[in-house]
Amino acid sequence: MKKNLRIVSAAAAALLAVAPVAAGTVSTVSADSGLSARAANPSLYTLSAGITVNNAESINGGEPVDRLSFSVHLNGANTSVSTAGVTAPQDFEVYEANSNAVTITDGVAAVNSTAVPVKTLRANTDYIVVNRSVKFTGLTKGQLYNAVVNGGTTQVKATDDGTTAGLILTQAFRTSARAMMGAPYVYTRSDNRRAAAGSVGLVKGFYNVDAVVNAINAKYRVGVDTTGIADAANGTIRGEFTQLTQDVRDGLSKAVAINSDGTFAKPSAPITFPVNIKAGSNTDVFNVTVYPDAIDADFSFPRIRFAGDAAGVVHAGSGDVVNVDGEGFNYVALNGTVNVPLIMNRFSATMSETNGTAIPVKVDTSKVNTKVAGVYPVTVSATNAEGKTSSVVFYLTVGDAGATYTTVQADIDEVPVYNISGNVVTDTKTTVKNGTPVVTFGTVTVNGKSYTRINSADSTKFVETKYVDGSIKPVAATPKKIMHNSYIYDKDHKRVGTNTLAAYSTVNVYGTTTKLADGSLVYKIGDNQYVMADNIDGTARVLSHNAYVYKTSKKRADRRVLKKGATVVTYGSPYTFKNGKAYYRIGGPKKQYVKVANFK
């Protein structure tokens, strides 16, 4: 199944995203078109279509437009619209992207009545291809559908013959800047065609950074122009995504809050961001658009069935929540054991929609804490021979089935559980995850601090009251890289434990920088646990002399000479080398140091 190609350049993206419908345009919207610019209606089935530009990378300037090859394709449709298709005449027009010839509002495209299509193409230039008569087919007469087209969502109505009125479909693309030997490019795995930009959808409400990364990796690969070029130092050059997980996290975080475990709330609109690619020393970026809902109908995922569901209910993809009320495994006694064999007995799976071969299910109970009465998610999954995984979630209760639950709300991921005997408070080393519903039974105050009893009325287990009385506003975790080996301190600047956070490792911080009792600037990383901000953000210092960058006391890290007056970010306290001289760490992860004496 062909996939839609999205905006290829920043200029084209800006044009299609924000340009208003200009006066003197010819729009697809009319009284009888059945098309309206509205937000997606969750009660309607969704259709998606796009245009593929097959060979823009072969254009080097001076070629006629008919040298290009275009095709209109169905990106996907709701599985309940299995007969859906798309059709269009082979009448494509190409306009320069910066000419205001084409404008888009909420997915509805319009072409300026005075716009003139180009006839000859230039190299390294942004264009927009247009087809004015695209129709969805195989629909139900008179029914409304969400149509994901032109980077937005509109609503279309099926006519008496099960099609839609003609609508304008567009696609931005850029011609080649002349192929650079060894340059990276992205292509789709399904048909090995180059992709000017990418698009993936989120499956059934499962919103997670890893899910987006997996979707991109499943759909796209990075190739190299003039493949098989020999590199004396590194062998054959291969194309790759250089830091895909970080790029996805950074891109999504501009539109949604990312939790410490990589999850996020369902986006209200598509999110477009660049990801980095490389081949040898050549680098580039590839724009990816993430849609809040699935954009492809995929029948190749495993099918999971729960014996307690109504007949015919099948789960595919990720994100479905199963109601297990009344099942023998949905309640576990405090300090008891989850009945995994019974769970596996009640769930089953088959290879795919078209392959009924049975495959085993896996049960993940890692988030269940049987030491604390609460409500916890359990995931049941199945992976087929193609490596595709479907999963469902159900919620299991630990403790009294009739208890009243209070949700833990914290500015950290894990809340400590304490044992209190008289006026002695002891850390049990057990924690409760932020957001977990727990059973509470009144409060006690020890040494001026309030604690709330959990598990049972006579339990000796407590959490700090501030985490269950609603007084703390949850704060999303932000992953940051540690640039200098770091101790962990409490609020009084006393070291916590003996562990050291290693340089170049990643740690979750909560909120912005704060100060300890002695004024030290820190980041919060846990309950009364902090790390020095200078070990993460560094300090900007000005060089008073030209400076070399070293990796040891005798060897330089590279050929750079940092100039007098330049500002350099250093991390943490200085290191003293074997030669007795002090050095600041800069950058990484390769060893890079500059003499302290070279700074003002």
Side-chain angles (χ1 to χ4, degrees), residues 35-111:
L35 178 67
S36 61
R38 302 177 184 173
N41 185 336
S43 68
L44 302 181
Y45 296 136
T46 297
L47 310 167
S48 178
I51 298 175
T52 296
V53 184
N54 295 316
N55 56 343
E57 73 279 358
S58 68
I59 301 300
N60 291 316
E63 293 90 344
V65 168
D66 59 14
R67 170 75 176 272
L68 293 171
S69 172
F70 305 106
S71 59
V72 173
H73 55 270
L74 184 74
N75 279 339
N78 185 282
T79 55
S80 298
V81 198
S82 59
T83 59
V86 67
T87 183
Q90 292 299 305
D91 296 328
F92 295 92
E93 302 166 356
V94 175
Y95 300 90
E96 288 198 12
N98 59 1
S99 65
N100 293 322
V102 181
T103 53
I104 294 175
T105 303
D106 296 328
V108 179
V111 180

Side-chain angles (χ1 to χ4, degrees), residues 133 161 231 246 292 326 328 393 411 457 488 510 527 569 573 592 599:
S133 302
D161 62 354
D231 182 299
Q246 190 63 49
V393 173
D411 53 358
I488 300 172
Y510 302 90
D527 184 63
V569 176
S573 55
Q592 299 178 48
F599 291 97

